[in-house]
Amino acid sequence: MAEPFGIVSGAIGIASAFTACIDCFGYIHFGRQFGRDFQTNQLALNCARLRLTRWGESVNIYDDPKLGRQDATAAEIQLAKDALLQILVLFADTKSISQKYKLTATAREDLSVYSTDDMDPKIIVLDNKMRALALQRQKKTQFLKLTSWALYHRSTLKDLLEQIVLLLDEIEKIFPEPHAQVKFVQQEAAEIGKETSDKQSLQLVEDAATGIDSLLQKTVKEVIAGHQYLNITFGGKGLAGDAFSDDWKGGAIGASHKFDGVEVKEGGKGLLGNKYGGKDFFDD
């Protein structure tokens, strides 16, 4: 494996490799060749970074050397580390492509890049929130100190994202932690929904996550649709919707609630909607 950015693979641990990967997402800019599409491309990068940090959080990458699996073998942990190092290689390759392009570009070619000032206000809000959600999971200081680089070709971005997704698929297959992943993605969707009050903004995230983060795409789609309760009968105790424990900090999931054909029989007890903290619904 090539050593990206001068990093010797055996010299850093998996947590440092994880931190370095998160760093790299922040170094990429988009050249003017992308046109206004650069905004949706930025959101796509945010989705990939958010997915990576969700996995790291779910396996407790900074504090658990077994990555959430006490039966994990040294070979499996090494595979996860190699996947993270390969992500760094991908970033290093895109930087190299950018540098070569700048060296061979003619004087008439525009090598300037887009900045936040070029973004639509809605995209800025989404970009800031998704960036913040990812970076708050980066519990170590920045590992890499690099200069930013620009992407000038859509094909380079496409290849980068496709390969990152394949590597994320690989490490999630070895260390899946599905329950934690669902918990964290619901927090993400709730925070994004709270920050952006309109469905159009949420739709932008759903679209950006397509092919990159199916879990985020599915969850945001559910937020847009809201909860629907049809033809429900409560004979005993029943809960329809989500329940949140006292320590839940992510806000509410679901844009709306729709009820039709709900019946609570004598002696029955039902809750339709969300429960936030306090006494548990099933406690008498």
Side-chain angles (χ1 to χ4, degrees), residues 5 35 48 67 69 104 107 125 129-130 136-137 144 160 162 165 169 175 193 212 225 229 250 257 264 277:
F5 309 118
L67 302 181
R69 273 188 49 207
T104 58
V125 172
K129 173 52 65 174
M130 296 176 76
Q136 72 186 16
R137 293 170 176 161
L144 295 175
L160 174 65
E162 286 180 350
V165 167
D169 288 343
F175 299 97
I212 296 172
Y229 311 99
H257 298 272
V264 180

mmCIF file of all heavy atoms in Angstrom, residues 5 35 48 67 69 104 107 125 129-130 136-137 144 160 162 165 169 175 193 212 225 229 250 257 264 277:
data_model
loop_
_atom_site.group_PDB
_atom_site.id
_atom_site.type_symbol
_atom_site.label_atom_id
_atom_site.label_comp_id
_atom_site.label_asym_id
_atom_site.label_seq_id
_atom_site.Cartn_x
_atom_site.Cartn_y
_atom_site.Cartn_z
ATOM 1 N N PHE A 5 0.534 10.995 2.246
ATOM 2 C CA PHE A 5 0.933 12.180 2.994
ATOM 3 C C PHE A 5 2.115 11.907 3.920
ATOM 4 O O PHE A 5 2.246 12.510 4.985
ATOM 5 C CB PHE A 5 -0.240 12.726 3.815
ATOM 6 C CG PHE A 5 -1.499 12.923 3.024
ATOM 7 C CD1 PHE A 5 -2.656 12.230 3.334
ATOM 8 C CD2 PHE A 5 -1.522 13.800 1.945
ATOM 9 C CE1 PHE A 5 -3.820 12.408 2.599
ATOM 10 C CE2 PHE A 5 -2.680 13.988 1.205
ATOM 11 C CZ PHE A 5 -3.825 13.286 1.534
ATOM 12 N N GLY A 35 -19.449 24.209 -11.706
ATOM 13 C CA GLY A 35 -20.655 25.032 -11.779
ATOM 14 C C GLY A 35 -21.409 25.001 -10.454
ATOM 15 O O GLY A 35 -20.848 24.717 -9.401
ATOM 16 N N ALA A 48 -20.608 11.328 3.127
ATOM 17 C CA ALA A 48 -19.574 10.303 3.284
ATOM 18 C C ALA A 48 -18.821 10.495 4.597
ATOM 19 O O ALA A 48 -18.536 9.532 5.314
ATOM 20 C CB ALA A 48 -18.603 10.353 2.102
ATOM 21 N N LEU A 67 -12.995 -2.457 18.940
ATOM 22 C CA LEU A 67 -13.996 -1.856 18.044
ATOM 23 C C LEU A 67 -15.391 -2.436 18.261
ATOM 24 O O LEU A 67 -16.118 -2.750 17.314
ATOM 25 C CB LEU A 67 -13.576 -2.030 16.579
ATOM 26 C CG LEU A 67 -12.219 -1.439 16.194
ATOM 27 C CD1 LEU A 67 -11.939 -1.664 14.720
ATOM 28 C CD2 LEU A 67 -12.149 0.048 16.533
ATOM 29 N N ARG A 69 -16.339 -5.266 19.400
ATOM 30 C CA ARG A 69 -16.484 -6.727 19.286
ATOM 31 C C ARG A 69 -15.383 -7.396 20.094
ATOM 32 O O ARG A 69 -14.225 -7.385 19.691
ATOM 33 C CB ARG A 69 -16.378 -7.158 17.820
ATOM 34 C CG ARG A 69 -17.669 -7.138 17.036
ATOM 35 C CD ARG A 69 -17.438 -7.777 15.674
ATOM 36 N NE ARG A 69 -16.746 -9.054 15.792
ATOM 37 C CZ ARG A 69 -15.974 -9.583 14.836
ATOM 38 N NH1 ARG A 69 -15.776 -8.920 13.714
ATOM 39 N NH2 ARG A 69 -15.408 -10.747 15.006
ATOM 40 N N THR A 104 -0.152 21.778 -15.547
ATOM 41 C CA THR A 104 -0.287 21.691 -17.008
ATOM 42 C C THR A 104 -1.364 22.613 -17.569
ATOM 43 O O THR A 104 -1.558 22.674 -18.779
ATOM 44 C CB THR A 104 -0.622 20.243 -17.417
ATOM 45 O OG1 THR A 104 -1.833 19.822 -16.776
ATOM 46 C CG2 THR A 104 0.506 19.297 -17.003
ATOM 47 N N ALA A 107 -2.728 29.374 -19.264
ATOM 48 C CA ALA A 107 -2.939 30.646 -18.574
ATOM 49 C C ALA A 107 -4.391 31.090 -18.643
ATOM 50 O O ALA A 107 -4.857 31.867 -17.795
ATOM 51 C CB ALA A 107 -2.026 31.714 -19.162
ATOM 52 N N VAL A 125 -26.489 26.368 5.569
ATOM 53 C CA VAL A 125 -27.019 25.827 6.827
ATOM 54 C C VAL A 125 -26.795 24.318 6.900
ATOM 55 O O VAL A 125 -26.339 23.790 7.923
ATOM 56 C CB VAL A 125 -28.523 26.156 6.962
ATOM 57 C CG1 VAL A 125 -29.124 25.437 8.173
ATOM 58 C CG2 VAL A 125 -28.732 27.655 7.103
ATOM 59 N N LYS A 129 -24.215 22.359 9.504
ATOM 60 C CA LYS A 129 -24.750 21.384 10.459
ATOM 61 C C LYS A 129 -24.121 20.013 10.250
ATOM 62 O O LYS A 129 -23.729 19.344 11.225
ATOM 63 C CB LYS A 129 -26.274 21.310 10.320
ATOM 64 C CG LYS A 129 -26.933 20.199 11.142
ATOM 65 C CD LYS A 129 -26.543 20.209 12.604
ATOM 66 C CE LYS A 129 -26.998 21.430 13.345
ATOM 67 N NZ LYS A 129 -26.734 21.353 14.802
ATOM 68 N N MET A 130 -24.016 19.559 9.009
ATOM 69 C CA MET A 130 -23.442 18.247 8.745
ATOM 70 C C MET A 130 -21.968 18.206 9.116
ATOM 71 O O MET A 130 -21.461 17.211 9.646
ATOM 72 C CB MET A 130 -23.655 17.870 7.279
ATOM 73 C CG MET A 130 -25.121 17.717 6.904
ATOM 74 S SD MET A 130 -25.384 17.392 5.142
ATOM 75 C CE MET A 130 -24.921 15.660 5.052
ATOM 76 N N GLN A 136 -17.790 16.886 15.709
ATOM 77 C CA GLN A 136 -17.933 16.703 17.150
ATOM 78 C C GLN A 136 -17.606 15.269 17.572
ATOM 79 O O GLN A 136 -17.404 14.997 18.752
ATOM 80 C CB GLN A 136 -19.345 17.069 17.600
ATOM 81 C CG GLN A 136 -20.433 16.094 17.188
ATOM 82 C CD GLN A 136 -21.823 16.602 17.549
ATOM 83 O OE1 GLN A 136 -22.012 17.788 17.836
ATOM 84 N NE2 GLN A 136 -22.803 15.719 17.550
ATOM 85 N N ARG A 137 -17.511 14.371 16.594
ATOM 86 C CA ARG A 137 -17.114 12.993 16.883
ATOM 87 C C ARG A 137 -15.608 12.795 16.752
ATOM 88 O O ARG A 137 -15.101 11.714 17.035
ATOM 89 C CB ARG A 137 -17.835 12.033 15.927
ATOM 90 C CG ARG A 137 -19.347 11.982 16.148
ATOM 91 C CD ARG A 137 -20.043 11.230 15.036
ATOM 92 N NE ARG A 137 -21.470 11.102 15.316
ATOM 93 C CZ ARG A 137 -22.388 10.821 14.387
ATOM 94 N NH1 ARG A 137 -22.009 10.654 13.128
ATOM 95 N NH2 ARG A 137 -23.655 10.713 14.718
ATOM 96 N N LEU A 144 -3.344 15.529 10.611
ATOM 97 C CA LEU A 144 -2.633 16.022 9.434
ATOM 98 C C LEU A 144 -2.667 17.545 9.379
ATOM 99 O O LEU A 144 -3.648 18.160 9.770
ATOM 100 C CB LEU A 144 -3.288 15.468 8.158
ATOM 101 C CG LEU A 144 -3.213 13.956 7.949
ATOM 102 C CD1 LEU A 144 -4.012 13.571 6.706
ATOM 103 C CD2 LEU A 144 -1.772 13.498 7.798
ATOM 104 N N LEU A 160 -13.557 9.046 -6.326
ATOM 105 C CA LEU A 160 -13.238 9.178 -4.905
ATOM 106 C C LEU A 160 -14.393 8.680 -4.045
ATOM 107 O O LEU A 160 -14.193 7.864 -3.127
ATOM 108 C CB LEU A 160 -12.930 10.636 -4.574
ATOM 109 C CG LEU A 160 -12.708 10.971 -3.096
ATOM 110 C CD1 LEU A 160 -11.462 10.283 -2.563
ATOM 111 C CD2 LEU A 160 -12.634 12.485 -2.888
ATOM 112 N N GLU A 162 -16.999 6.777 -4.883
ATOM 113 C CA GLU A 162 -17.306 5.358 -5.095
ATOM 114 C C GLU A 162 -16.351 4.461 -4.314
ATOM 115 O O GLU A 162 -16.772 3.471 -3.694
ATOM 116 C CB GLU A 162 -17.253 5.021 -6.592
ATOM 117 C CG GLU A 162 -18.443 5.540 -7.378
ATOM 118 C CD GLU A 162 -18.345 5.191 -8.856
ATOM 119 O OE1 GLU A 162 -17.257 4.706 -9.281
ATOM 120 O OE2 GLU A 162 -19.335 5.390 -9.583
ATOM 121 N N VAL A 165 -17.027 4.705 -0.507
ATOM 122 C CA VAL A 165 -18.226 3.937 -0.156
ATOM 123 C C VAL A 165 -17.908 2.440 -0.081
ATOM 124 O O VAL A 165 -18.347 1.738 0.845
ATOM 125 C CB VAL A 165 -19.361 4.201 -1.167
ATOM 126 C CG1 VAL A 165 -20.492 3.190 -0.999
ATOM 127 C CG2 VAL A 165 -19.901 5.616 -0.984
ATOM 128 N N ASP A 169 -18.316 0.217 3.224
ATOM 129 C CA ASP A 169 -19.083 -1.031 3.217
ATOM 130 C C ASP A 169 -18.282 -2.165 3.852
ATOM 131 O O ASP A 169 -18.815 -2.979 4.615
ATOM 132 C CB ASP A 169 -19.454 -1.419 1.779
ATOM 133 C CG ASP A 169 -20.523 -0.525 1.170
ATOM 134 O OD1 ASP A 169 -21.204 0.190 1.932
ATOM 135 O OD2 ASP A 169 -20.668 -0.545 -0.067
ATOM 136 N N PHE A 175 -17.336 -4.748 11.325
ATOM 137 C CA PHE A 175 -17.728 -4.185 12.620
ATOM 138 C C PHE A 175 -19.016 -3.380 12.427
ATOM 139 O O PHE A 175 -18.985 -2.154 12.318
ATOM 140 C CB PHE A 175 -16.613 -3.288 13.168
ATOM 141 C CG PHE A 175 -15.317 -4.005 13.417
ATOM 142 C CD1 PHE A 175 -14.298 -3.976 12.472
ATOM 143 C CD2 PHE A 175 -15.120 -4.736 14.582
ATOM 144 C CE1 PHE A 175 -13.098 -4.642 12.694
ATOM 145 C CE2 PHE A 175 -13.933 -5.406 14.817
ATOM 146 C CZ PHE A 175 -12.915 -5.372 13.862
ATOM 147 N N GLY A 193 -33.006 18.116 10.793
ATOM 148 C CA GLY A 193 -34.391 18.564 10.672
ATOM 149 C C GLY A 193 -34.696 19.766 11.541
ATOM 150 O O GLY A 193 -35.457 20.660 11.146
ATOM 151 N N ILE A 212 -24.451 6.810 -1.338
ATOM 152 C CA ILE A 212 -23.339 7.063 -0.420
ATOM 153 C C ILE A 212 -23.659 6.586 0.990
ATOM 154 O O ILE A 212 -22.856 5.912 1.633
ATOM 155 C CB ILE A 212 -22.984 8.562 -0.392
ATOM 156 C CG1 ILE A 212 -22.488 9.008 -1.775
ATOM 157 C CG2 ILE A 212 -21.928 8.862 0.679
ATOM 158 C CD1 ILE A 212 -22.288 10.491 -1.908
ATOM 159 N N ALA A 225 -41.484 12.267 5.514
ATOM 160 C CA ALA A 225 -42.825 11.681 5.426
ATOM 161 C C ALA A 225 -43.599 11.823 6.724
ATOM 162 O O ALA A 225 -44.820 11.953 6.730
ATOM 163 C CB ALA A 225 -42.715 10.200 5.040
ATOM 164 N N TYR A 229 -50.259 6.414 11.261
ATOM 165 C CA TYR A 229 -50.841 5.343 12.075
ATOM 166 C C TYR A 229 -52.222 5.013 11.517
ATOM 167 O O TYR A 229 -53.150 5.829 11.582
ATOM 168 C CB TYR A 229 -50.960 5.781 13.537
ATOM 169 C CG TYR A 229 -49.681 6.376 14.088
ATOM 170 C CD1 TYR A 229 -49.516 7.761 14.159
ATOM 171 C CD2 TYR A 229 -48.642 5.566 14.504
ATOM 172 C CE1 TYR A 229 -48.344 8.311 14.659
ATOM 173 C CE2 TYR A 229 -47.456 6.104 15.001
ATOM 174 C CZ TYR A 229 -47.319 7.472 15.067
ATOM 175 O OH TYR A 229 -46.167 8.012 15.548
ATOM 176 N N GLY A 250 -31.261 14.373 20.889
ATOM 177 C CA GLY A 250 -31.295 14.619 19.459
ATOM 178 C C GLY A 250 -32.514 15.311 18.919
ATOM 179 O O GLY A 250 -32.607 15.541 17.728
ATOM 180 N N HIS A 257 -47.681 13.810 12.064
ATOM 181 C CA HIS A 257 -48.343 12.566 12.456
ATOM 182 C C HIS A 257 -49.695 12.506 11.762
ATOM 183 O O HIS A 257 -50.436 13.492 11.724
ATOM 184 C CB HIS A 257 -48.544 12.513 13.975
ATOM 185 C CG HIS A 257 -47.267 12.535 14.751
ATOM 186 N ND1 HIS A 257 -46.566 11.404 15.063
ATOM 187 C CD2 HIS A 257 -46.558 13.567 15.270
ATOM 188 C CE1 HIS A 257 -45.484 11.717 15.753
ATOM 189 N NE2 HIS A 257 -45.447 13.026 15.872
ATOM 190 N N VAL A 264 -59.025 2.446 20.953
ATOM 191 C CA VAL A 264 -58.509 2.018 22.246
ATOM 192 C C VAL A 264 -59.656 1.373 23.006
ATOM 193 O O VAL A 264 -60.618 2.039 23.391
ATOM 194 C CB VAL A 264 -57.937 3.200 23.062
ATOM 195 C CG1 VAL A 264 -57.403 2.699 24.400
ATOM 196 C CG2 VAL A 264 -56.837 3.905 22.278
ATOM 197 N N GLY A 277 -38.354 11.568 27.332
ATOM 198 C CA GLY A 277 -37.964 11.634 28.728
ATOM 199 C C GLY A 277 -39.125 11.404 29.689
ATOM 200 O O GLY A 277 -40.220 10.993 29.318
#
